[in-house]
Amino acid sequence: MPSLPSLPSLPAPPAPPVGCADCLSRGWSWVRLRRCVTCGHVGCCDSSRGRHAHDHHVRSGHPVVLSLASDEDWAWCFTDEVFLVRTRHDPQETA
């Protein structure tokens, strides 16, 4: 059997964002970060001074952001104004 060629190594995943780049460029602080599902842009939440995640949605039309907060496990759709919650399947549960 012929040997298979080796696959090239994959690039390292991007480092977690340090903060909201738009806020950092202005010297502002932020509350929480959100990542655009479409393009990966990271912006601050609506509770932050800049509301840069929402601004990105308005400028780009990209509808969904993921919360990057360690204590939050959801996404938000700006277009439909709904939370998208990840559900976890518990194998112990019976239907």
Side-chain angles (χ1 to χ4, degrees), residues 18-30:
V18 175
C20 174
D22 295 315
C23 285
L24 286 168
S25 70
R26 292 171 172 83
W28 297 352
S29 60
W30 55 90

Side-chain angles (χ1 to χ4, degrees), residues 16-26 28-37 39-60 62 64-69 72 74 76 78:
V18 175
C20 174
D22 295 315
C23 285
L24 286 168
S25 70
R26 292 171 172 83
W28 297 352
S29 60
W30 55 90
V31 177
R32 300 216 173 201
L33 299 175
R34 311 293 185 227
R35 182 186 310 267
C36 175
V37 171
C39 71
H41 176 270
V42 174
C44 56
C45 69
D46 284 359
S47 296
S48 300
R49 177 180 179 181
R51 298 183 56 196
H52 291 115
H54 185 263
D55 182 58
H56 174 73
H57 158 69
V58 170
R59 289 182 290 107
S60 68
H62 298 165
V64 178
V65 291
L66 293 172
S67 173
L68 295 181
E72 296 176 343
W74 51 262
W76 173 256
F78 287 109

